[in-house]
Amino acid sequence: METINFTPLGFSDLTSDEAFVVSVFRHWQSCGSTCKEAEGSLTEMLKNDRLHEGLLSLFDLLERFRTRIGGEQKTTVPF
């Protein structure tokens, strides 16, 4: 799929829920050296957030992404 078909978006173009997912992904990438460390940090940090209950689904999605690129160590993926 060519990215030329996509409309360029900035962070300000995102809904609050979309911005939340992007922010969680960025934190997940940068926090801790393993997925479990990052997920523990996010779970604690967002324990009072309205979207806290959706974290398990988001972690499942990130786990699938991680296993696709391989390994327990998180990597920075260029987008």
Side-chain angles (χ1 to χ4, degrees):
M1 178 184 311
E2 292 186 37
T3 58
I4 198 164
N5 297 327
F6 290 105
T7 302
L9 293 175
F11 199 77
S12 61
D13 295 318
L14 303 177
T15 67
S16 61
D17 291 345
E18 292 167 336
F20 173 81
V21 171
V22 170
S23 296
V24 166
F25 178 73
R26 287 181 179 171
H27 184 84
W28 179 82
Q29 276 190 310
S30 66
C31 181
S33 59
T34 67
C35 296
K36 294 294 180 198
E37 289 176 13
E39 291 169 7
S41 171
L42 283 164
T43 299
E44 180 60 29
M45 184 174 72
L46 298 170
K47 65 183 173 189
N48 296 316
D49 192 279
R50 67 184 177 88
L51 298 173
H52 180 264
E53 291 183 26
L55 283 178
L56 291 179
S57 295
L58 185 56
F59 292 159
D60 183 51
L61 175 67
L62 295 175
E63 173 68 17
R64 290 170 190 251
F65 178 72
R66 181 191 63 79
T67 55
R68 253 186 138 170
I69 61 173
E72 170 61 17
Q73 293 297 107
K74 298 189 312 304
T75 59
T76 303
V77 179
F79 287 102

